[in-house]
Amino acid sequence: MPDFSSLLPFGWSDSWSALLPENTLPARVIRHDGATLLIATSDGPLSIRTPARPGLAPTVGDWLAVEEASRSAVAVLPRASLLRRHGAHIGARDQSLAANVDIVLITCGLDRPVKPGRLDRSIALAVDAGATPMIVLTKAASAHPPDLDQLAAQHPGVAIVVTSALEGIGIDALRDALVGSTAVLLGESGAGKSTLTNALLGRDEAYTGDVRGDAKGRHTTTSRQLHVLDGGGVIIDTPGIRAVGLWTDPDAVDEAFSDIGAIAENCRFRDCRHDTEPGCAVRGAIDDGSLSVDRHAAWRRLRREAASAELRASPREQRRRGKTFSRAAKLGQARKRGF
Ligand SMILES: Nc1nc2c(ncn2[C@@H]2O[C@H](COP(=O)(O)OP(=O)(O)OP(=O)(O)O)[C@@H](O)[C@H]2O)c(=O)[nH]1
Ligand SMILES: [Mg+2]
Ligand SMILES: [Zn+2]
């Protein structure tokens, strides 16, 4: 067995060896810039051409099988997890954000209001990916202290870390939580993801930017990149994404709201919508105070959003819109021709 120990800091383990085709070497995708991939090999970083074969679409965090002679990627090893954003627009396809991630760091800057809906969507995406969500509040020193009890109640089972990269608050705790894992940062532009990456790394490796006066933030980071933490673990910095890119599907919502799912096991009807159905355990839990009205409302809101996003993305709906579009286009042409 060849020695791949130099890949251990990148998250290599023996379990990947079994998946490696013969006569290939493992490599992890550090960065993906369109035509080129920056990969970590046992001989160090290497820039290769992005494979142009259908079914071979590597993303950051992927483990690749690289052919020794040609140094080209011949396979993407089966993923342990995949964080994707669902295409919310007509014809939009899902976009892979990061592969083989264990933890999704949902990053919110405390210099602007924390939006529970956005957190719920991000948590659903993380759970859908097969990863553990963690809420990271940044810029703690420069803002009003958040109501952590309320936030914890709104997102049961999700760890919350309060950090300030500039003051060094919460950085050690977060670094400890990431040892041995692959983590990916998810959050709005200007939330402080790259600043946090650098604080965790202890060196300036990721570009950071200034937030505009209106606290909206412009996109400083333009491509996803994997960084190796000295104490063990890997962190993937990403460009900020807007809330509209955070759609998920209704099943993923239920998985993310596992507390409601557990209560719903006791509903009389298996397909109970916890609305007006008789024998609904969820409504019962609201009545006896064991489930908060807000939590139930958050679940309903996200279910509704996910359902309408799914409908919009369904082939039938796309066809319908396509027809409308082509009719409008024909009409436009007819007008041009002077009819
Ligand atoms: N006061 C304070 N400012 C911070 C902290 N973390 C980040 N910032 C500032 O917030 C701004 C944006 O930080 P970035 O790290 O570039 O944000 P980002 O999330 O990577 O943004 P994108 O790359 O555009 O997605 C910079 O001006 C940082 O200096 C913090 O803990 N405290
Ligand atoms: Mg950034
Ligand atoms: Zn019910």
Side-chain angles (χ1 to χ4, degrees):
M1 167 80 73
D3 180 21
F4 299 136
S5 57
S6 61
L7 285 174
L8 291 174
F10 287 90
W12 177 257
S13 70
D14 284 342
S15 56
W16 293 107
S17 304
L19 303 169
L20 205 60
E22 262 182 56
N23 299 320
T24 63
L25 298 170
R28 195 164 197 192
V29 179
I30 297 175
R31 204 175 59 217
H32 182 187
D33 292 316
T36 54
L37 287 180
L38 181 64
I39 59 175
T41 74
S42 50
D43 292 331
L46 183 69
S47 206
I48 63 167
R49 205 114 57 88
T50 304
R53 249 198 288 153
L56 194 64
T59 193
V60 174
D62 262 325
W63 283 102
L64 304 180
V66 176
E67 206 172 55
E68 283 196 68
S70 66
R71 290 189 148 196
S72 59
V74 291
V76 175
L77 301 193
R79 290 159 172 158
S81 62
L82 178 66
L83 183 69
R84 328 166 275 157
R85 76 210 248 187
H86 297 264
H89 313 292
I90 309 305
R93 271 186 291 163
D94 287 2
Q95 187 199 1
S96 300
L97 294 176
N100 304 314
V101 293
D102 305 299
I103 301 173
V104 177
L105 301 172
I106 300 163
T107 315
C108 293
L110 289 172
D111 54 343
R112 58 196 98 173
V114 175
K115 300 173 194 119
R118 187 186 171 98
L119 287 178
D120 283 329
R121 279 182 222 131
S122 306
I123 291 167
L125 272 200
V127 172
D128 191 30
T132 304
M134 191 185 278
I135 297 172
V136 180
L137 305 174
T138 61
K139 314 188 192 186
S142 65
H144 305 290
D147 187 340
L148 290 179
D149 289 339
Q150 191 196 356
L151 207 57
Q154 281 166 342
H155 310 287
V158 181
I160 303 172
V161 189
V162 180
T163 66
S164 172
L166 301 190
E167 281 78 14
I169 300 167
I171 303 301
D172 290 340
L174 186 56
R175 200 185 287 118
D176 287 348
L178 303 186
V179 172
S181 304
T182 293
V184 61
L185 289 155
L186 190 68
E188 278 183 309
S189 189
K193 299 178 295 298
S194 302
T195 307
L196 190 62
T197 300
N198 288 336
L200 291 165
L201 291 169
R203 57 181 183 270
D204 282 354
E205 202 169 283
Y207 292 114
T208 60
D210 288 328
V211 176
R212 286 194 310 238
D214 58 3
K216 272 259 163 55
R218 54 171 175 240
H219 295 277
T220 302
T221 305
T222 51
S223 60
R224 287 158 275 141
Q225 177 151 358
L226 185 148
H227 305 269
V228 173
L229 298 164
D230 288 340
V234 156
I235 190 159
I236 299 171
D237 187 17
T238 67
I241 65 174
R242 286 174 301 136
V244 287
L246 294 175
W247 293 102
T248 179
D249 60 71
D251 288 342
V253 173
D254 282 0
E255 260 185 82
F257 285 74
S258 56
D259 51 334
I260 292 185
I263 300 169
E265 300 266 307
N266 296 316
C267 291
R268 187 177 305 162
F269 301 111
R270 277 205 56 189
D271 60 349
C272 185
R273 283 171 300 125
H274 324 311
D275 197 4
T276 54
E277 290 90 340
C280 173
V282 172
R283 292 225 73 91
I286 294 171
D287 289 343
D288 72 21
S290 53
L291 176 69
S292 82
V293 177
D294 289 349
R295 179 76 178 154
H296 180 243
W299 170 81
R300 279 185 65 142
R301 197 167 49 236
L302 201 56
R303 263 308 284 236
R304 212 164 33 229
E305 278 182 13
S308 62
E310 195 177 55
L311 181 71
R312 266 181 287 154
S314 78
R316 193 166 154 209
E317 179 70 359
Q318 285 176 24
R319 269 203 305 279
R320 192 183 70 75
R321 298 209 178 191
K323 257 186 212 149
T324 318
F325 176 76
S326 59
R327 209 183 300 141
K330 271 185 203 139
L331 208 63
Q333 280 165 6
R335 286 223 183 88
K336 259 192 225 139
R337 275 189 252 115
F339 292 110

